[in-house]
Amino acid sequence: MALLRAATWKLSPWRGYCSRGSQVWCGELSQGFVEALKAVVGDPHVSTAASVREHHGHDESMHRCQPPDAVVWPQNVDQVRRLAALCYSQGVPIIPFGTGTGLEGGVCAVQGGVCINLTHMNRIMELNMEDFSVVVEPGVTRKTLNMHLRDSGLWFPVDPGADASLCGMAATAASGTNAVRYGTMQDNVVNLEVVLPDGRLLHTHSPTLCISGPRKSAAGYNLTGLFVGSEGTLGLITSATLRLHPVPEATVAATCAFPSVQAAVDSTVQILQAAVPVARLEFLDDVMMDACNKHSKLDCPVAPTLFLEFHGSKQALAEQVQRTEAITQDNGGSHFAWANEAEKRSQLWAARHNAWYAMLALSPGCKAYSTDVCVPISRLPEILVQTKKELRASRLTGSRIVGHVGDGNFHCILLVNPDDAEEQTRVKAFAENLGRQALALHGTCTGEHGIGLGKRQLLHEEVGAVGMETMRQLKVTLDPRGLMNPGKVL
Amino acid sequence: MALLRAATWKLSPWRGYCSRGSQVWCGELSQGFVEALKAVVGDPHVSTAASVREHHGHDESMHRCQPPDAVVWPQNVDQVRRLAALCYSQGVPIIPFGTGTGLEGGVCAVQGGVCINLTHMNRIMELNMEDFSVVVEPGVTRKTLNMHLRDSGLWFPVDPGADASLCGMAATAASGTNAVRYGTMQDNVVNLEVVLPDGRLLHTHSPTLCISGPRKSAAGYNLTGLFVGSEGTLGLITSATLRLHPVPEATVAATCAFPSVQAAVDSTVQILQAAVPVARLEFLDDVMMDACNKHSKLDCPVAPTLFLEFHGSKQALAEQVQRTEAITQDNGGSHFAWANEAEKRSQLWAARHNAWYAMLALSPGCKAYSTDVCVPISRLPEILVQTKKELRASRLTGSRIVGHVGDGNFHCILLVNPDDAEEQTRVKAFAENLGRQALALHGTCTGEHGIGLGKRQLLHEEVGAVGMETMRQLKVTLDPRGLMNPGKVL
């Protein structure tokens, strides 16, 4: 049955992006194919309306390309399997969609195709408080989960800022402010349920959906690790078993201003070397602090600043705070503001988390792009100092630096006027150059945003020819028709 | 050039084990091929002597099969590449060999072939104290590394008991007593240099051998995670970049006896739920404690016992110890013995680490087999109590239980008389049954020893048909001729 209306095929400007061994999808969907989608998920759960497709055709980044040809909302995993099998049989690309809060164009429909919006599957399926684990469907966001857990004494700490879906966070190997203490999604996903491109159902760690799993395993190849961070290019994640953590007995947050970028980052390195188990360790530059003061009504010094948070027993916290304060003072830190109360802490972290949105709010009409390099901690001072210089030299003066410096990961948030092609070129050149600097320091071009559309060349430079060839082989093996989120990563 | 002497081929009884898509190697090596091996590594570094081959044909487990046809000792990665290319061109199996301390027959030469002993490559290549990382060649063992680090303030905590090679530990996803606090090899390997079956050189995380790497990355597929735990079936690990940890300011160890297995394990679960950051949390049953007392000259009560260790500042330790003591007392724990001094601690842990060897020493002529299941913590009490009963019912009365219960991972060390076929059958049946019980509780058949030869059927039951098919596809993709350590894992 040829569901594609051959006569209406149009050439896609993006077909060059599809990966080796894949079939090139070159056209819009036939009415027959759309009807077949409706037969799977029901009429109200399929849309080909331009506004809906447009909404699903981009994330929060600058990346833009054509929208998907249709958007579908499956209600359960069986429907996802049937959708995948249908697309597979007809060679139609599939783009998984969660909250659309990605920053590297991961949901762009490079070759058109069907966008599968998984947010209607939003059950928190099982909570196992004894084993600190939970099973969530792809529509559950991190804030929803933590709200659900609020009286359990447990929480899920991975926090990329946006209220992203947890399965989307697994797909992109998200991390964020708590990773220095609690790890990234790589460390906190126990098991994934994945619909493979042809509709088969894979559980990466066990043959069934598990309420919990062992804390470690040496059984066969690490499939969970392979799918975490695969950015939707190998399959659709339809549920995730996550590791939860005990809510700390006490929490203290603090800010500390420094005379220079170097002094702030030197403090960071020394805090880590002293094995202080800091939970969050964030850097904001002077420009960013100025914006935070204005947007979040703070009165912090306009200077390079560390945001810190400590988790533990009251007694342990006192010791951590004391050690940290000594280290920061040795480096010229001043204007300590320790926040013990939840409200004051929330205000501080809201300011940090709103960095992206605050900046856009203060710059009407502008878009933003965030770099995402991560380097060994010892190389942080030199790359941050250099980056500040280059931001000035590139005349990207509205731009700010924020970062999870405890991991060596930092972002330059670059403002772009979408009508200024020359500025866009400068932003792109700056970001690529920064990526190459990170690689030269044995770092990575992406600590947490992923490769998506924009960093495929840098990935090549990062992992080398054999690394790329190996990744391509894995892609072709698991997605032989090249239908899963084509044009991303590779 | 046909280096194989076709006329002398003999049929291998193991050829049925080779994986799908591979070529079956059916014979001993020709003189010409042995000369070709010598041309790569030099005459003194190749052996076909029966005693040498025999020594390399098994690990510390019961698993036995034919020895390899030759053993070679490459001196550097270039030689490893040339050896791999040579074997690849001739369809000869390759078995990587480290210290031979594995417990699942991972080095057995199921189809004969060439054993590549990597222990002559034993340099600690780079130590980066600022970034807590080190690069080691495959001959470096964990004790050698920690001796090298002794004045640096850093250490490598993953400790499977045996003084295994670190790259071998990466290949088998080893963990051991410290994993509850510091994670397994999956968490502590940053980058691997791997010689692929055809001789190409892959760096799983960066294009070159790195003195350090970023603490996290979202760049492409997680190749490091795929090779960690692949048990030599995808390539030869020729160096590893490892994450080091600060030596704790203070350490306290303790033992505590309990009236029952249930009471000991209930304490374990409660200690973890109270978020006490325990560094080691080991369980030994009464039989094991009796053996430890005799072998290591201790005078501990002959009862179910927890061995604990805490790492941290002196102040933090006092609090951890206090909390733990309260929990164990609530569960009827008694006979506390806290050890603050290094000497006393070493004595305790030597007793724990010598469990395997102690048992063999006390049972002349016997071999041992260790089970290795791992279950969610909440299921530990029931499976441990049940296992004690079944050990008695199986008349495996000399057997003992030890375990990293902080992870839900425990071992039954089963004594076997190699001349008693009926006993061997009972041991095998007991181990398989225990594996299935763990799976029924959402656990794994192997927490740290790997699949090797003995658990391939259990792996199938653990990951299901689609999981197995996915793993087989990955194997065929990366090792298309099925030459890397054939007959293992899959």
Side-chain angles (χ1 to χ4, degrees):
Chain A
M1 179 173 62
L3 288 170
L4 297 173
R5 195 174 55 200
T8 64
W9 277 12
K10 62 180 180 193
L11 283 179
S12 159
W14 298 99
R15 62 181 172 177
Y17 280 107
C18 68
S19 52
R20 209 189 69 168
S22 70
Q23 161 173 343
V24 180
W25 161 253
C26 309
E28 61 192 22
L29 300 174
S30 69
Q31 192 55 39
F33 190 83
V34 173
E35 291 304 320
L37 294 173
K38 288 179 179 171
V40 175
V41 296
D43 204 77
H45 302 128
V46 177
S47 176
T48 53
S51 63
V52 172
R53 292 163 52 223
E54 174 57 34
H55 169 68
H56 285 80
H58 61 86
D59 57 15
E60 295 190 356
S61 72
M62 287 194 312
H63 295 293
R64 290 293 180 277
C65 66
Q66 68 184 93
D69 297 300
V71 180
V72 296
W73 287 263
Q75 311 297 304
N76 54 55
V77 65
D78 184 57
Q79 290 184 358
V80 179
R81 296 184 63 179
R82 288 161 62 201
L83 288 171
L86 176 64
C87 290
Y88 189 80
S89 70
Q90 301 298 319
V92 177
I94 294 172
I95 304 104
F97 193 98
T99 52
T101 46
L103 295 172
E104 280 301 338
V107 299
C108 290
V110 167
Q111 297 178 24
V114 174
C115 174
I116 299 190
N117 181 321
L118 294 153
T119 53
H120 285 195
M121 294 169 62
N122 61 0
R123 288 177 300 168
I124 297 172
M125 299 179 74
E126 306 253 23
L127 171 61
N128 183 330
M129 286 170 56
E130 276 191 297
D131 292 316
F132 300 4
S133 65
V134 69
V135 181
V136 294
E137 287 193 323
V140 179
T141 67
R142 65 174 186 88
K143 284 187 184 171
T144 306
L145 175 62
N146 279 326
M147 187 66 77
H148 182 82
L149 294 173
R150 68 187 178 285
D151 296 323
S152 70
L154 299 173
W155 71 310
F156 187 72
V158 184
D159 172 3
D163 188 21
S165 71
L166 293 154
C167 290
M169 286 164 60
T172 53
S175 49
T177 53
N178 287 304
V180 62
R181 168 82 173 256
Y182 297 94
T184 72
M185 289 305 281
Q186 283 285 4
D187 306 295
N188 287 286
V189 176
V190 176
N191 192 13
L192 291 173
E193 181 183 77
V194 178
V195 172
L196 294 172
D198 59 5
R200 284 176 305 144
L201 196 64
L202 169 72
H203 293 93
T204 55
H205 187 70
S206 72
T208 55
L209 192 67
C210 273
I211 181 171
S212 63
R215 285 169 62 101
K216 65 182 191 184
S217 172
Y221 304 144
N222 181 359
L223 299 181
T224 308
L226 183 58
F227 279 89
V228 172
S230 61
E231 303 190 32
T233 63
L234 303 178
L236 295 122
I237 297 175
T238 50
S239 88
T241 306
L242 305 174
R243 177 173 295 173
L244 302 175
H245 295 259
V247 172
E249 182 184 312
T251 299
V252 181
T255 56
C256 180
F258 289 87
S260 65
V261 173
Q262 181 86 40
V265 185
D266 284 349
S267 297
T268 299
V269 174
Q270 290 163 27
I271 290 166
L272 294 171
Q273 284 173 343
V276 178
V278 61
R280 289 169 155 171
L281 184 39
E282 301 276 309
F283 171 81
L284 287 80
D285 75 354
D286 51 344
V287 188
M288 192 71 242
M289 285 308 297
D290 192 31
C292 280
N293 278 342
K294 285 175 183 148
H295 185 76
S296 301
K297 307 205 176 9
L298 300 175
D299 56 354
C300 296
V302 177
T305 300
L306 289 183
F307 276 47
L308 304 110
E309 194 167 282
F310 303 91
H311 297 170
S313 69
K314 284 189 180 124
Q315 207 174 323
L317 284 193
E319 196 185 12
Q320 291 177 36
V321 163
Q322 191 188 357
R323 289 185 172 208
T324 303
E325 205 158 341
I327 290 170
T328 53
Q329 279 170 354
D330 282 352
N331 287 287
S334 63
H335 292 85
F336 282 96
W338 297 104
N340 294 291
E341 306 77 31
E343 194 184 350
K344 176 82 177 155
R345 277 205 317 276
S346 298
Q347 194 190 358
L348 273 183
W349 287 107
R352 163 65 188 89
H353 272 156
N354 288 333
W356 174 265
Y357 303 105
M359 192 161 158
L360 286 175
L362 292 171
S363 314
C366 278
K367 299 279 177 197
Y369 178 76
S370 172
T371 66
D372 180 38
V373 301
C374 182
V375 297
I377 306 289
S378 68
R379 316 308 291 268
L380 254 182
E382 69 191 271
I383 195 169
L384 270 175
V385 170
Q386 181 66 18
T387 300
K388 278 295 273 184
K389 275 189 208 156
E390 289 178 13
L391 275 177
R392 278 192 291 270
S394 304
R395 291 173 290 125
L396 300 168
T397 44
S399 304
R400 299 110 207 249
I401 298 179
V402 297
H404 320 305
V405 287
D407 295 318
N409 183 203
F410 69 91
H411 311 297
C412 301
I413 307 185
L414 308 168
L415 278 180
V416 199
N417 179 344
D419 301 325
D420 185 341
E422 189 271 340
E423 188 172 64
Q424 285 183 39
T425 306
R426 263 187 296 135
V427 162
K428 193 159 178 268
F430 174 85
E432 282 204 3
N433 180 48
L434 180 55
R436 292 201 172 97
Q437 281 179 49
L439 297 187
L441 300 176
H442 300 313
T444 173
C445 66
T446 173
E448 56 185 13
H449 295 172
I451 296 297
L453 268 179
K455 291 190 189 136
R456 290 169 297 167
Q457 175 56 34
L458 285 170
L459 177 64
H460 194 110
E461 295 170 31
E462 181 163 339
V463 301
V466 179
M468 280 306 284
E469 181 57 24
T470 305
M471 290 187 191
R472 280 197 200 100
Q473 286 178 313
L474 296 177
K475 166 76 174 174
V476 169
T477 301
L478 297 176
D479 181 22
R481 304 189 76 179
L483 299 177
M484 285 306 311
N485 208 5
K488 312 300 161 52
V489 182
L490 301 173
Chain B
M1 181 172 58
L3 289 170
L4 297 174
R5 195 174 52 200
T8 64
W9 277 13
K10 62 179 181 194
L11 283 179
S12 159
W14 299 99
R15 62 181 173 177
Y17 280 108
C18 69
S19 52
R20 213 188 66 170
S22 72
Q23 161 173 341
V24 180
W25 160 252
C26 309
E28 60 192 21
L29 301 174
S30 70
Q31 193 53 41
F33 190 83
V34 173
E35 291 304 320
L37 294 173
K38 288 179 179 172
V40 175
V41 295
D43 203 75
H45 301 128
V46 177
S47 176
T48 53
S51 63
V52 172
R53 291 164 50 224
E54 175 57 35
H55 170 69
H56 285 79
H58 61 84
D59 56 15
E60 294 189 358
S61 72
M62 289 194 310
H63 295 293
R64 290 293 180 276
C65 66
Q66 68 185 92
D69 297 300
V71 180
V72 296
W73 287 262
Q75 311 299 305
N76 55 54
V77 65
D78 185 56
Q79 291 184 358
V80 178
R81 297 184 62 179
R82 288 161 61 202
L83 288 171
L86 177 62
C87 291
Y88 189 81
S89 71
Q90 301 299 319
V92 177
I94 294 171
I95 305 103
F97 193 98
T99 52
T101 46
L103 294 173
E104 281 300 339
V107 299
C108 290
V110 168
Q111 298 177 25
V114 174
C115 174
I116 299 189
N117 181 320
L118 294 153
T119 54
H120 285 196
M121 294 169 62
N122 60 0
R123 286 177 301 168
I124 296 171
M125 299 178 71
E126 304 254 22
L127 171 61
N128 183 330
M129 288 171 55
E130 277 190 298
D131 292 316
F132 301 3
S133 65
V134 69
V135 181
V136 294
E137 285 193 326
V140 179
T141 67
R142 65 174 185 87
K143 284 186 183 171
T144 306
L145 175 61
N146 279 325
M147 186 68 77
H148 182 83
L149 294 173
R150 69 189 177 284
D151 297 323
S152 70
L154 299 173
W155 70 311
F156 186 71
V158 184
D159 172 2
D163 187 21
S165 70
L166 292 153
C167 290
M169 287 165 59
T172 54
S175 50
T177 54
N178 286 305
V180 62
R181 168 79 174 258
Y182 298 95
T184 72
M185 290 305 280
Q186 282 285 3
D187 306 296
N188 287 285
V189 175
V190 176
N191 191 12
L192 291 173
E193 181 184 77
V194 178
V195 172
L196 293 172
D198 60 4
R200 283 176 305 145
L201 197 63
L202 169 71
H203 292 93
T204 56
H205 187 72
S206 72
T208 56
L209 191 68
C210 273
I211 182 170
S212 63
R215 286 169 61 101
K216 66 182 191 184
S217 172
Y221 304 145
N222 181 359
L223 298 180
T224 307
L226 183 60
F227 279 88
V228 172
S230 62
E231 303 189 33
T233 64
L234 302 179
L236 295 122
I237 297 175
T238 51
S239 87
T241 306
L242 305 173
R243 178 174 295 174
L244 302 174
H245 296 257
V247 172
E249 181 184 313
T251 299
V252 181
T255 55
C256 180
F258 288 87
S260 66
V261 174
Q262 180 87 42
V265 185
D266 284 350
S267 297
T268 300
V269 174
Q270 289 162 27
I271 291 165
L272 294 171
Q273 285 173 341
V276 178
V278 61
R280 289 169 154 172
L281 184 39
E282 300 277 306
F283 171 80
L284 288 79
D285 76 354
D286 50 346
V287 189
M288 193 72 240
M289 285 308 297
D290 192 30
C292 280
N293 279 341
K294 286 174 183 148
H295 185 78
S296 301
K297 307 205 179 2
L298 300 175
D299 56 354
C300 296
V302 177
T305 300
L306 289 182
F307 276 47
L308 302 111
E309 194 168 281
F310 304 91
H311 296 171
S313 68
K314 284 189 181 126
Q315 206 175 326
L317 284 194
E319 196 186 13
Q320 291 177 36
V321 163
Q322 190 186 359
R323 288 185 173 209
T324 303
E325 206 158 340
I327 290 169
T328 54
Q329 280 170 354
D330 282 350
N331 287 286
S334 63
H335 291 87
F336 280 96
W338 297 104
N340 295 292
E341 306 77 32
E343 195 183 346
K344 176 83 177 152
R345 276 205 318 276
S346 299
Q347 194 189 358
L348 275 184
W349 286 106
R352 163 65 189 90
H353 272 156
N354 288 333
W356 173 266
Y357 302 105
M359 192 160 157
L360 286 174
L362 291 171
S363 316
C366 278
K367 299 280 179 196
Y369 179 75
S370 172
T371 66
D372 180 38
V373 301
C374 184
V375 296
I377 306 290
S378 68
R379 315 310 289 269
L380 253 182
E382 68 190 274
I383 196 168
L384 270 175
V385 170
Q386 181 67 18
T387 300
K388 277 296 269 183
K389 276 189 208 158
E390 289 177 13
L391 275 177
R392 276 193 292 269
S394 305
R395 292 173 291 127
L396 299 168
T397 45
S399 304
R400 299 107 207 252
I401 299 179
V402 297
H404 320 305
V405 289
D407 294 318
N409 183 204
F410 69 92
H411 311 298
C412 300
I413 307 185
L414 308 168
L415 278 181
V416 199
N417 179 343
D419 300 326
D420 185 342
E422 190 270 340
E423 189 173 65
Q424 286 184 37
T425 307
R426 264 186 295 134
V427 162
K428 193 160 179 265
F430 174 86
E432 283 203 5
N433 180 46
L434 181 56
R436 292 201 173 96
Q437 282 179 48
L439 298 188
L441 299 175
H442 300 315
T444 172
C445 66
T446 174
E448 56 186 14
H449 296 171
I451 296 297
L453 268 180
K455 291 190 189 133
R456 289 168 298 166
Q457 174 55 35
L458 285 170
L459 177 64
H460 194 110
E461 295 171 30
E462 181 163 337
V463 302
V466 178
M468 282 304 284
E469 180 57 25
T470 305
M471 290 188 191
R472 280 198 201 100
Q473 286 178 314
L474 296 177
K475 165 76 174 172
V476 170
T477 299
L478 296 175
D479 180 23
R481 304 191 74 179
L483 299 176
M484 285 306 310
N485 207 6
K488 312 302 161 49
V489 182
L490 300 174

